[in-house]
Amino acid sequence: MRNLNENTITQAVINRNEGTQNERLKEIMVSLVQHLHSFAREVELTEKEWEVGIKFLTDVGQICSEKRQEFILLSDTLGLSTLVIAQNHRKPEGCTEATVFGPFYVSNAPELALGANMSEGVKGTPWFVSGTVKSIDGKIISNAKVEVWQSDDDGFYDVQKDGLDHFEGRAIFNTNEKGEYHFETILPDAYPIPHDGPVGKMLQALNRHPWRPAHLHFMITAKGYERLVTHVFKENSEYLDSDAVFGVRSSLVSEWVQHENGQDPYGNRHNTPFSTLQFNFVLNPIVETKK
């Protein structure tokens, strides 16, 4: 293996990796090496271009922190996240579709009672969200864990705010015996993904915008069912057809009903505008395969 050239290097690398005992790792690495080398040959990659590529990946890693995941943004904006999700979450027709996870989820959000306001004290238009969680066969799913998170009406998540020592716009709810969930929050708006870093520079170079349409994140888990990670998007929101992270599905676009004033779903009178959303989720049962 001393006199390798552009025609023999690919197989040499594959042969060098043959010693792994992990068959899945071997399969992935063979394909990765083949595709990477084919890419370099196809575009006739120069040394200078590869130096720029290495610096870009280095910058992506260096900007990552507990509050920022630039590699998720990179995966999202290249459509890779959507591809991986789509091929790993093929569901029967009628199940709620999955979409991108996003970089702003946190695992220790507060658990609140149904009906609670998860954006207490945050400025914005009051928003009342409700719906059900059921199985594809219509079975009610009680005690499903419904994790919800969103931006504020300025487009920022709580984890993006310096000095904030409490959660805003995120919570965990559990469905009742009828499979129902309901809570209060504020209307989020369209917002740009963080674009002050290397991914933002990439989008600018590609003449692409960084904006996402208005949406609400959900992650729903229940015993015996596949986990669902999804969004609900605002009908007629700007950027539905040009979402920077390719996350929109037609089935996830819903009307966010505007009310100029009147009685909210909890019986309280509003003399100012508020909105409501009713969205039902349908989960796919886990099918156990026989060994």
Side-chain angles (χ1 to χ4, degrees):
M1 289 210 185
R2 293 190 177 187
N3 299 312
L4 296 172
N5 57 44
E6 62 182 287
N7 298 313
T8 60
I9 181 61
T10 303
Q11 191 58 49
V13 176
I14 291 172
N15 292 343
R16 185 71 61 86
N17 293 338
E18 278 291 318
T20 179
Q21 301 300 308
N22 186 321
E23 290 302 317
R24 177 58 175 165
L25 175 60
K26 182 187 294 185
E27 178 185 12
I28 290 173
M29 288 304 298
V30 166
S31 184
L32 176 64
V33 169
Q34 289 173 334
H35 283 286
L36 280 176
H37 287 211
S38 294
F39 159 74
R41 292 188 180 98
E42 181 180 338
V43 302
E44 296 188 346
L45 193 67
T46 68
E47 292 176 87
K48 182 62 176 177
E49 289 166 342
W50 187 221
E51 288 174 5
V52 172
I54 289 175
K55 183 179 186 307
F56 171 73
L57 293 175
T58 301
D59 291 344
V60 169
Q62 289 178 338
I63 203 172
C64 290
S65 68
E66 291 183 359
K67 294 185 176 182
R68 179 163 183 164
Q69 232 305 344
E70 195 80 356
F71 270 111
I72 291 180
L73 285 180
L74 179 59
S75 175
D76 289 351
T77 54
L78 292 177
L80 182 59
S81 297
T82 288
L83 172 60
V84 173
I85 289 166
Q87 66 186 12
N88 280 276
H89 294 276
R90 301 183 182 103
K91 302 176 185 293
E93 185 175 352
C95 283
T96 304
E97 291 188 88
T99 190
V100 293
F101 194 70
F104 297 117
Y105 169 79
V106 299
S107 60
N108 58 337
E111 184 171 328
L112 302 180
L114 290 177
N117 187 345
M118 72 174 194
S119 297
E120 188 74 47
V122 182
K123 70 178 180 68
T125 301
W127 191 26
F128 299 88
V129 182
S130 63
T132 61
V133 179
K134 294 184 178 181
S135 172
I136 186 66
D137 58 7
K139 179 182 177 182
I140 290 170
I141 304 178
S142 59
N143 202 37
K145 184 179 181 181
V146 181
E147 299 186 64
V148 193
W149 64 104
Q150 67 169 95
S151 69
D152 61 21
D153 65 355
D154 289 323
F156 294 101
Y157 290 78
D158 52 2
V159 294
Q160 295 177 284
K161 300 176 182 180
D162 292 333
L164 190 67
D165 59 359
H166 60 278
F167 293 104
E168 290 180 349
R170 69 177 70 240
I172 300 171
F173 301 95
N174 292 284
T175 57
N176 63 20
E177 67 279 0
K178 296 180 181 179
E180 300 169 333
Y181 73 91
H182 57 95
F183 58 90
E184 183 179 353
T185 182
I186 60 166
L187 279 178
D189 203 352
Y191 65 84
I193 61 171
H195 57 287
D196 57 338
V199 171
K201 292 179 181 178
M202 179 191 75
L203 293 179
Q204 185 176 25
L206 295 171
N207 196 28
R208 286 175 53 186
H209 71 72
W211 286 84
R212 300 214 62 205
H215 62 274
L216 181 62
H217 291 265
F218 285 88
M219 181 165 71
I220 303 176
T221 52
K223 185 176 181 180
Y225 294 89
E226 295 177 1
R227 187 185 75 166
L228 173 66
V229 176
T230 195
H231 303 4
V232 178
F233 295 90
K234 181 183 180 182
E235 187 177 62
N236 298 322
S237 178
E238 195 173 1
Y239 311 111
L240 283 175
D241 295 314
S242 61
D243 180 11
V245 304
F246 305 97
V248 179
R249 308 288 178 273
S250 294
S251 66
L252 302 177
V253 177
S254 185
E255 183 181 10
W256 299 11
V257 182
Q258 296 180 335
H259 307 265
E260 291 306 313
N261 54 53
Q263 185 171 285
D264 70 29
Y266 300 154
N268 299 314
R269 177 73 186 180
H270 288 258
N271 295 319
T272 56
F274 66 95
S275 291
T276 57
L277 167 67
Q278 207 279 336
F279 195 90
N280 299 329
F281 296 96
V282 179
L283 304 190
N284 194 34
I286 295 173
V287 178
E288 294 184 7
T289 57
K290 295 182 180 180
K291 296 182 179 180

